[in-house]
Amino acid sequence: MSVLVAAAVALPLFSVAAQADPPPAPVFSGGQAQPVFSATDVVRDDVWVTAPVDSDHDGKDDLVHAEVVRPKATLQGMKVPVVYQASPYYAGGNDVANHNVDVELYEPGRPQRPAGPRVKANGVGPASITWRYEQYFVSRGFAVVYGESLGSGKSTGCPTTGDVNETIGAKAVVDWLNGRAAAKDATGKASKADWSTGKTGMMGVSYNGTLPNAVASTGVQGLETIVPIAAISSWYDYYRNDGATVAAGGFQGEDADVLAEYVYTRADRAICCPVIDQLVKAQDRVTGDYSRFWDVRNYRNDVAKVRASVLVVHGLNDWNVKTSQAAEWYELLKRHGVEHKIWLHQSGHADPYGLRRDAWLVTLNKWMSHYLYGVQNGIQNEPKATVQREDMSWTDEAEWPAPGTSDVSVYPWSGGSSKGTIDTRNPMPGKPVVEKLADDSSKTVEQLIDLPRSGNRLLYSTTAAKQAVRLSGTAKVDLAIAFDRPAANVTAVLVDRGPDGRSRVISRGWTDPQNYTDPAVTLPIRPGTTYHVEVGLIAKDYILAVGHKLEFALLSSDHDYTLRPKPGAGLALDLGRTSITLPVTGGKQALRAAF
């Protein structure tokens, strides 16, 4: 700060004002904001922002409760950008039962089975709002804003699991920070964010990372960047997969209605019940089809509107919000010219703060300093991808999937009831060879792939790799397959088999063969007719080590993810018309050199 020296002569008032100390300012070193402000001596404000939506149908616009934490220097005229976390979880959650998954599959023309159990939620009451990043950002000259999602905590409205209402609610806070939305404090007095520059970055993990994707897809002005961590980009792919009802890993039977019940923590315990009842019907656990219900919850539809830069973070072993949620979103962002960067780590549903804290905070600080304060630190020119390898080391790469990756087709050969082979060059020649399996949903994938012989799965293997093989991106299988019933699950799995015989699931994918033409259309399956069925597997980045074998398993139900009908459905695979497509770094040459 400048120092004023007393003058010998009186000066006009305007001259005194002109010499007054300027407001405090942030300090940057090495392209990063420095901790020059108190993280505890701060200003805290509670406001209720008016959102232009009436999701609880009470005839009034919904109100979004937001808590602001800002440096005290803002009282001295300093204007600051905002790191904003929107969340439905600040007030905790309710004890809600999941749907029963031990049910028969839907067959067109038969009466629909009931949707499954649901219990009314009991509120747990408001909780204190905190965040591990709060003091970090506030001490460096950013404000932190917490916004409670509609229907949760002190907000009004209703939770509707990712639809337009929730997006509007979260977006309203960005509008308020930019002077486009009204807000009041606890006394009812109008509140303006005159301490803010309007530049906002949204960030969070899981649902809290999904809401930034949603708001960015509106193209709202003032949202300069988002950091979605373990985030959803399409809710259909969270609870469904290509026509099949598929669980988030570890949460068998959860669905959009269950999650809405869980986060329904506002004080009024009755007003949202009809809204959530409608979710039960519209989500359609019966056919699993893609529909308007899911389409409005697909933020990839609006990627062309995204103007915020995006730093995507995801776990390569996240089976809750599966890695494809990040991979498909990231690919679309690239295609549409959005400034982007990605971090992929070896953990599951996790924040990199607990995995590689120091390096992560450097990246995050530079990212926010650049996009919210305009610091020219070169973060946008650094390698686009940071990937953690299986040995827990980290590497920076130009882009993801890895440059030089291309699709390579390989082919299963006979012997799948014990273990057939995978040929890296040619489909199985000669007369058609058909291999069969019978569904048994009581057995897990891990159990079935380790059995030396089984009638409940087909298994095929390469030889041991002579050099490491990297898979980077999305694998798929093209099946020529027949069924002995009008309905069945189909599950495809890629496996790493070590020299000691131990197995590790690399990736898996699911489909409902009744949706063989379109995820939105259920068509009857005629028993005995062979269909072309494609199964996309979850995107991964994986290195198969020297001496390891790559295996492909086909089964029907996946105990931990799909609905679980009674055992017995039969599947028949025509090997000569079946292929497995792998995203191999180095393409055909690399794959054939390895096997």
Side-chain angles (χ1 to χ4, degrees), residues 171-392:
K171 172 181 173 289
V173 174
V174 179
D175 285 329
W176 172 67
L177 292 167
N178 285 273
R180 297 188 297 266
K184 294 183 179 181
D185 63 18
T187 68
K189 182 181 176 182
S191 178
K192 294 184 177 181
D194 52 10
W195 46 265
S196 173
T197 64
K199 291 184 179 294
T200 304
M202 291 186 73
M203 173 179 167
V205 180
S206 194
Y207 209 147
N208 303 356
T210 300
L211 287 164
N213 284 342
V215 177
S217 73
T218 69
V220 60
Q221 291 188 348
L223 183 63
E224 303 299 327
T225 192
I226 62 171
V227 184
I229 304 171
I232 293 167
S233 57
S234 168
W235 283 90
Y236 181 80
D237 292 352
Y238 187 61
Y239 288 125
R240 305 286 184 271
N241 203 91
D242 203 22
T245 297
V246 173
F251 298 91
Q252 258 288 33
E254 189 189 295
D255 214 325
D257 63 320
V258 175
L259 184 55
E261 286 273 20
Y262 179 79
V263 302
Y264 177 29
T265 52
R266 63 174 284 188
D268 189 325
R269 306 307 306 143
I271 193 168
C272 292
C273 288
V275 173
I276 298 175
D277 286 342
Q278 182 58 34
L279 288 185
V280 179
K281 300 174 183 177
Q283 67 191 1
D284 182 13
R285 287 184 64 83
V286 177
T287 72
D289 287 355
Y290 190 82
S291 62
R292 175 165 173 75
F293 176 89
W294 297 109
D295 196 55
V296 298
R297 292 165 169 82
N298 184 353
Y299 312 128
R300 300 170 199 161
N301 290 338
D302 294 313
V303 69
K305 298 178 183 177
V306 175
R307 58 181 300 277
S309 62
V310 185
L311 171 54
V312 175
V313 182
H314 218 96
L316 290 165
N317 294 296
D318 189 346
W319 288 100
N320 178 353
V321 177
K322 303 171 187 71
T323 314
S324 290
Q325 294 278 357
E328 296 197 30
W329 182 235
Y330 188 70
E331 186 61 33
L332 288 169
L333 293 169
K334 289 191 295 181
R335 290 182 198 172
H336 285 82
V338 176
E339 291 195 19
H340 59 273
K341 188 175 177 67
I342 191 167
W343 268 52
L344 295 170
H345 57 77
Q346 288 292 326
S347 291
H349 199 59
D351 184 335
Y353 184 96
L355 304 174
R356 196 191 185 198
R357 176 178 170 176
D358 292 345
W360 166 242
L361 289 178
V362 169
T363 296
L364 182 62
N365 189 321
K366 285 184 174 181
W367 191 264
M368 292 298 189
S369 294
H370 176 68
Y371 288 106
L372 299 186
Y373 266 116
V375 176
Q376 297 305 308
N377 53 25
I379 186 70
Q380 75 278 16
N381 300 319
E382 292 182 2
K384 297 299 183 186
T386 297
V387 183
Q388 186 181 29
R389 294 266 49 102
E390 291 76 6
D391 64 1
M392 301 298 137

Side-chain angles (χ1 to χ4, degrees), residues 90-109:
Y90 292 131
N94 302 299
D95 186 11
V96 187
N98 288 353
H99 292 272
N100 177 25
V101 297
D102 295 311
V103 296
E104 294 305 303
L105 302 177
Y106 169 69
E107 296 179 16

Side-chain angles (χ1 to χ4, degrees), residues 503-572:
S503 63
R504 178 181 179 182
V505 171
I506 300 171
S507 188
R508 65 223 290 173
W510 313 267
T511 192
D512 179 350
Q514 295 175 346
N515 292 84
Y516 66 93
T517 64
D518 191 325
V521 179
T522 290
L523 296 173
I525 291 292
R526 289 180 292 182
T529 298
T530 299
Y531 293 88
H532 169 76
V533 175
E534 182 179 293
V535 185
L537 278 67
I538 300 303
K540 295 291 171 183
D541 197 293
Y542 191 86
I543 293 179
L544 185 81
V546 173
H548 288 233
K549 298 176 182 179
L550 182 66
E551 298 183 350
F552 163 65
L554 177 70
L555 54 152
S556 185
S557 298
D558 185 338
H559 179 274
D560 294 323
Y561 291 91
T562 66
L563 299 179
R564 302 192 291 234
K566 292 178 181 178
L571 282 63

Side-chain angles (χ1 to χ4, degrees), residues 438-588:
D439 187 23
D440 187 350
S441 63
S442 69
K443 296 186 175 75
T444 67
V445 165
E446 290 75 12
Q447 289 171 328
L448 288 170
I449 62 177
D450 282 344
L451 292 173
R453 188 175 186 86
S454 174
N456 302 127
R457 57 93 181 119
L458 298 173
L459 186 63
Y460 306 90
S461 177
T462 65
T463 57
K466 296 188 289 291
Q467 65 182 42
V469 177
R470 181 177 179 182
L471 307 178
S472 184
T474 302
K476 67 176 183 178
V477 295
D478 289 283
L479 309 171
I481 192 167
F483 307 88
D484 68 1
R485 297 184 184 182
N489 290 313
V490 175
T491 300
V493 186
L494 281 183
V495 179
D496 176 342
R497 182 79 59 182
D500 59 0
R502 292 185 181 180
S503 63
R504 178 181 179 182
V505 171
I506 300 171
S507 188
R508 65 223 290 173
W510 313 267
T511 192
D512 179 350
Q514 295 175 346
N515 292 84
Y516 66 93
T517 64
D518 191 325
V521 179
T522 290
L523 296 173
I525 291 292
R526 289 180 292 182
T529 298
T530 299
Y531 293 88
H532 169 76
V533 175
E534 182 179 293
V535 185
L537 278 67
I538 300 303
K540 295 291 171 183
D541 197 293
Y542 191 86
I543 293 179
L544 185 81
V546 173
H548 288 233
K549 298 176 182 179
L550 182 66
E551 298 183 350
F552 163 65
L554 177 70
L555 54 152
S556 185
S557 298
D558 185 338
H559 179 274
D560 294 323
Y561 291 91
T562 66
L563 299 179
R564 302 192 291 234
K566 292 178 181 178
L571 282 63
L573 182 67
D574 182 341
L575 294 179
R577 294 190 286 157
T578 291
S579 63
I580 306 149
T581 302
L582 305 171
V584 181
T585 303
K588 283 184 180 181

